Amino acid sequence: MTSIRFLTILMSLLTVMFILTGCGQRQINDLAIVTAVGIDPGDKPNHVRISVQIVRPADIRGQTGAPSGGTGEPIYSVKAEGRTIFEAIRNLGKFSSRRVYWAHNYVIVMNEQYARQGISDMVDFFSRNHELRMNTWVVVTPDTASEVISTITGLEVVPGEAMDKLFRYNRIVSQAPRTNLMRLQESFLSRTSQLILAKVSLIPRGISNKKPSEYGSIEQVELSGTAIFRDDKMIGWLSGEETRGLLFFVEDLQSGVMSIACGDGSDGRATFELNEFQHKAQPSWEDNRIHFNIRLEVNASLVESGCQTSIRDMQATWQKQLTEQLTQEVEHIIDLAQNKYKADFLKLGETFHNKYPYEWKTIQQQWDEQFSQADISVNTSVHLHTPMLIIKPMISGKQEESK
Amino acid sequence: VDSAAFHSKPIYFSNDYQLNKLLIEERLGGSIDLEQREFCSPDASMSGVYFYIQGLADSAEVANTLKSLLVYSEQMAGTRSGVDSATRFQSYISINSGLKLTPSLEDAILAILSGDTVILLQDSSNAIIVSTRGWNSRSVDEPATENVVRGPRDGFTESIRTNTASVRRRIRDSNLRLESMVIGAKTQTEINIAYIEGVVKEGLVQEVRSRLQGIRIDAVLESGYIEELIEDSPLSIFNTIQSTERPDKVAAALLEGRVAIFVDNTPFVLILPTFFWQSIQAPDDYYSRYYMGSFFRMLRYFAYVFSFTLSALYVMIVSFHQEMIPTGLALTIASGREVVPFPVLIEALMMEFAFELMREAGLRMPKPIGSAVSIVGSLIIGQAAVQAGLVSPTIVIIVAITGLASFSIPNYNTSFSIRLLRFPLLIASGTLGLLGFVAVVFAVLIHALSIRSFGEPYMAPASPFRPSDQKDIIIRVPWWKMKKRPTLANGTDNRIGPDQMPEPPESQDSRSDLFPPIPSDSSGLQAAEPELLPMEQPTKNKQSYWFRRLSGK
């Protein structure tokens, strides 16, 4: 009998559950799925402007067998203002017919002015929001954020997805740090190192199919460069080339490109692909002076040669030249960090803290100062590998005949 | 049920031939198929009457019996008069292999109704029962519900003797026992309990016997009646007694120490105790190579989980946990659902209902128009519903996969229980999300863990965990590894002898063995001396596989 009673209770519970459907439930097609969000300073003082890129699923996927009900525009970009980010987002609800849903957001774009005013409220909001994923990319742009997120860019139908893929394939060019929300939080909360974020900008690059003669009539989002922060405020930019020097310190680089003059009298250039980076920062503490020894080992392989001389003759010269150039690159970024920005965004404080935890406590308060006075030496070595089958330069067969 | 009806006072034949005849006539009420004829030997020394039912008795056999009865009655005339004529008849002659006497009217009636011929003789208080059973029955056919790629093709029929014989053909062991029992006040259905003495679990047969003896029912038309009357957990949705149409399955179960119950007039034989895992195991697993057997078995486990949870998971994720879907997939699902006017739960329930409807209709429709169901069904469900914007394309795929998965479960009853359990799970996930999903899955799991089948835990040997039985649960290990019988079985004898894993013959140099050197002075095959053949070569420490095979050791 007990099992019969149990079954009755179970059945009635199920019935009640069925009747009460709709409480807290929302179908996937009742959501306004945000794929990119932009943060600009508002028109009114102390206001913030949030712009969101919302996808129209029917227009993205097109006809799926069902009547699609599309409008032809894959994204719907809207903006709202408020005194705080949350208020601005709530204001989106005034005109969004669906509930704004953040879980599928790809990227957060911040305007430079906003970033220079301080981003702690933004970090707080997006960390507190349970819907957001931790692998959302975070970038800073010198352009208007709302413009960046409403620009149709890349091959993807959803621009947010295009920016997501831009980050994923960025490793090949190595011109921007891969900063997502998790790394943002990590650096932001860190006691040692300063925050950096990737930079995107609108560059007129696209060629219109209708007017091919007008090159660059369409703006595209470019991922290159770095925004440097001190505490929660942005203090400056690094260019794409400078960023590579930075990436040695903060990321596992996979490849990079470097070109040097031939050095054999001709005006051609030799281009090398860099790979297999090995980087180590060795801190030491002597006589109350901080010293860092930075060791960098790189493999380089020749990918393009416009030189007249054979590789075998030039190998030693090129290797030396590459080493010099790489050392310069690294020294330049150290110089920027120590002297220009006086901010440790190279994570050197972290290595020091790891090795000298007790000493760290004594200098923690004036770390930025200590860092800018630190003695940093750079040792670089480049191993040059060449595809040895093509040793001679590529010279037309007819010219060789005439020689 | 009034117990008096089942235990009415037995009536015995008297010496009065006319009265005996009347008794039978009265009891059978002059049915039109009752054949009754009086006969008399030419010298009138013996007269009698015989009864049989047309269609149940083989008329050639009846004629044969009657002929020999008349032939022998002449020779018997005058011998040892005074003794009961039926007894005399029985001891002097043998007209049929199955011949017995009974003093009981009930037995005689039952014999007539079973297709035997009953002969009443003058001066006898016994009736002679001659076995003349022979009716038209379906021939042994391939089982309709359990198909295999590799394995025997014969299935059970409606005749219990054919069925027991096809199991006995597989197990020629003197310890294979068949016990008879008659259940059903009106149907008097014959039930046989089969087991192997010494292998069957101790006490199991007594338990089965006592449970069967406890049944009071007027009719047993199918083994399903018996199944429902002897189950351990009659309210459970899981079937704790397996039914099968395959003699090889029954034979395998008997060898594992189980008991089989044969019921007359049905090809479905019951196997007990039954574990949950048996419903996922197919006969092919054991006949195909173990890689294949294990792979398809694992596939079926996935199919089981899929058919139970897939549609519920979809509904749950799409209506509650959209963040769990990868973005690309989320957009695809959302675009498919853009024009659908129903919540996902309703959509899924609609599709599941339509699918069940299609399956049921396909089963019930007369065979010639059966294909119409699939055409109409696939058109309506697969295409028109999507194009009309009533359901999204994704749910069609989900329901189709769920359906396919449920078809791949070998046991129809189990596949049905999962089909039914799917609906509460679907509703709970569609209303409470992950919480409801987990609650129902756990409720089902706890229930499955709590029930038993003839004293054995239903989820054994996974829970309680029996390490030695694991070789035939998730995977099927090779036969040469299955040393022991399942823990369920009684006795300690192994299934398989030691060192059964086959291996190539051991030899120093296989090349020279296979191609013996040909002496230069002779030519052709004569050169190869018999002692050079590999099997004749002495082996190091262990006799080689081929040596054992070929020498018959």
Side-chain angles (χ1 to χ4, degrees), chain B residues 235-308:
Chain B
L235 292 178
S236 173
I237 197 154
F238 293 106
N239 54 315
T240 49
I241 296 176
Q242 196 186 3
S243 57
T244 181
E245 269 191 277
R246 299 188 59 87
D248 54 333
K249 241 178 171 171
V250 171
L254 293 178
L255 290 166
E256 283 178 352
R258 295 176 212 277
V259 167
I261 300 177
F262 293 81
V263 176
D264 202 5
N265 297 322
T266 176
F268 287 93
V269 174
L270 306 178
I271 294 171
L272 49 95
T274 296
F275 297 146
F276 165 76
W277 315 99
Q278 273 167 268
S279 52
I280 313 280
Q281 300 165 352
D284 284 56
D285 297 356
Y286 300 95
Y287 306 144
S288 317
R289 279 174 56 77
Y290 53 91
Y291 290 117
M292 197 174 153
S294 303
F295 173 74
F296 285 115
R297 184 175 286 184
M298 284 191 272
L299 190 75
R300 268 178 256 124
Y301 281 116
F302 280 115
Y304 188 89
V305 174
F306 269 169
S307 74
F308 184 33

Side-chain angles (χ1 to χ4, degrees), chain B residues 361-383:
Chain B
L363 186 65
R364 300 293 159 221
M365 283 247 278
K367 261 190 191 139
I369 47 170
S371 61
V373 172
S374 54
I375 295 168
V376 171
S378 59
L379 270 182
I380 290 177
I381 293 174
Q383 217 180 341

Side-chain angles (χ1 to χ4, degrees), chain B residues 524-544:
Chain B
L525 285 167
Q526 278 116 349
E529 291 297 320
E531 54 262 33
L532 286 172
L533 288 174
M535 61 176 176
E536 300 281 335
Q537 293 223 333
T539 50
K540 270 187 287 180
N541 43 14
K542 190 170 116 182
Q543 283 175 334
S544 77

Side-chain angles (χ1 to χ4, degrees), chain B residues 136-210:
Chain B
N136 292 330
S137 68
R138 194 168 60 94
S139 60
V140 173
D141 219 342
E142 202 171 338
T145 55
E146 292 156 284
N147 294 324
V148 291
V149 173
R150 181 169 178 180
R153 300 257 182 261
D154 60 334
F156 286 129
T157 67
E158 282 75 13
S159 153
I160 190 166
R161 271 306 137 247
T162 318
N163 294 353
T164 52
S166 52
V167 171
R168 217 187 254 281
R169 269 217 332 266
R170 285 177 167 79
I171 307 173
R172 288 189 188 132
D173 187 21
S174 56
N175 286 326
L176 173 60
R177 301 270 186 274
L178 281 166
E179 282 179 18
S180 175
M181 202 174 270
V182 173
I183 298 179
K186 291 259 181 287
T187 56
Q188 297 287 327
T189 311
E190 186 173 1
I191 312 272
N192 286 4
I193 309 170
Y195 58 94
I196 300 177
E197 188 84 64
V199 174
V200 72
K201 189 192 157 202
E202 206 141 349
L204 181 60
V205 181
Q206 287 88 318
E207 179 63 26
V208 172
R209 216 182 279 142
S210 71

Side-chain angles (χ1 to χ4, degrees), chain B residues 30-344:
Chain B
S31 284
I32 192 134
D33 56 347
L34 177 73
E35 198 74 12
Q36 162 186 6
R37 213 194 120 190
E38 290 193 60
F39 61 89
C40 185
S41 63
D43 58 349
S45 65
M46 187 202 291
S47 60
V49 63
Y50 63 86
F51 298 91
Y52 69 94
I53 301 265
Q54 275 179 336
L56 285 186
D58 185 359
S59 51
E61 192 73 25
V62 174
N64 228 357
T65 307
L66 192 65
K67 212 191 310 178
S68 52
L69 194 69
L70 292 177
V71 169
Y72 287 115
S73 67
E74 265 177 66
Q75 301 177 355
M76 272 177 48
T79 53
R80 287 181 64 187
S81 56
V83 184
D84 185 291
S85 57
T87 319
R88 249 191 304 152
F89 209 87
Q90 190 199 21
S91 47
Y92 274 81
I93 55 159
S94 54
I95 47 175
N96 184 292
S97 53
L99 183 138
K100 58 183 178 188
L101 298 185
T102 177
S104 155
L105 173 68
E106 300 303 324
D107 285 356
I109 296 289
L110 185 60
I112 294 170
L113 294 177
S114 310
D116 292 337
T117 302
V118 165
I119 303 167
L120 293 177
L121 291 177
Q122 241 169 1
D123 312 321
S124 172
S125 59
N126 282 320
I128 305 171
I129 299 172
V130 185
S131 172
T132 54
R133 292 182 196 191
W135 53 80
N136 292 330
S137 68
R138 194 168 60 94
S139 60
V140 173
D141 219 342
E142 202 171 338
T145 55
E146 292 156 284
N147 294 324
V148 291
V149 173
R150 181 169 178 180
R153 300 257 182 261
D154 60 334
F156 286 129
T157 67
E158 282 75 13
S159 153
I160 190 166
R161 271 306 137 247
T162 318
N163 294 353
T164 52
S166 52
V167 171
R168 217 187 254 281
R169 269 217 332 266
R170 285 177 167 79
I171 307 173
R172 288 189 188 132
D173 187 21
S174 56
N175 286 326
L176 173 60
R177 301 270 186 274
L178 281 166
E179 282 179 18
S180 175
M181 202 174 270
V182 173
I183 298 179
K186 291 259 181 287
T187 56
Q188 297 287 327
T189 311
E190 186 173 1
I191 312 272
N192 286 4
I193 309 170
Y195 58 94
I196 300 177
E197 188 84 64
V199 174
V200 72
K201 189 192 157 202
E202 206 141 349
L204 181 60
V205 181
Q206 287 88 318
E207 179 63 26
V208 172
R209 216 182 279 142
S210 71
R211 283 195 199 186
L212 286 175
Q213 275 159 358
I215 297 177
R216 297 279 174 274
I217 193 170
D218 62 339
V220 175
L221 295 182
E222 217 275 341
S223 49
Y225 287 47
I226 302 288
E227 184 181 334
E228 278 186 29
L229 288 167
I230 60 171
E231 271 177 317
D232 281 51
S233 39
L235 292 178
S236 173
I237 197 154
F238 293 106
N239 54 315
T240 49
I241 296 176
Q242 196 186 3
S243 57
T244 181
E245 269 191 277
R246 299 188 59 87
D248 54 333
K249 241 178 171 171
V250 171
L254 293 178
L255 290 166
E256 283 178 352
R258 295 176 212 277
V259 167
I261 300 177
F262 293 81
V263 176
D264 202 5
N265 297 322
T266 176
F268 287 93
V269 174
L270 306 178
I271 294 171
L272 49 95
T274 296
F275 297 146
F276 165 76
W277 315 99
Q278 273 167 268
S279 52
I280 313 280
Q281 300 165 352
D284 284 56
D285 297 356
Y286 300 95
Y287 306 144
S288 317
R289 279 174 56 77
Y290 53 91
Y291 290 117
M292 197 174 153
S294 303
F295 173 74
F296 285 115
R297 184 175 286 184
M298 284 191 272
L299 190 75
R300 268 178 256 124
Y301 281 116
F302 280 115
Y304 188 89
V305 174
F306 269 169
S307 74
F308 184 33
T309 60
L310 193 64
S311 51
L313 275 176
Y314 173 75
V315 168
M316 175 190 94
I317 286 177
V318 169
S319 48
F320 285 95
H321 311 289
Q322 294 90 356
E323 68 279 359
M324 285 165 77
I325 322 173
T327 308
L329 183 61
L331 294 178
T332 307
I333 293 172
S335 81
R337 282 197 47 78
E338 197 67 35
V339 292
V340 178
F342 306 109
V344 195

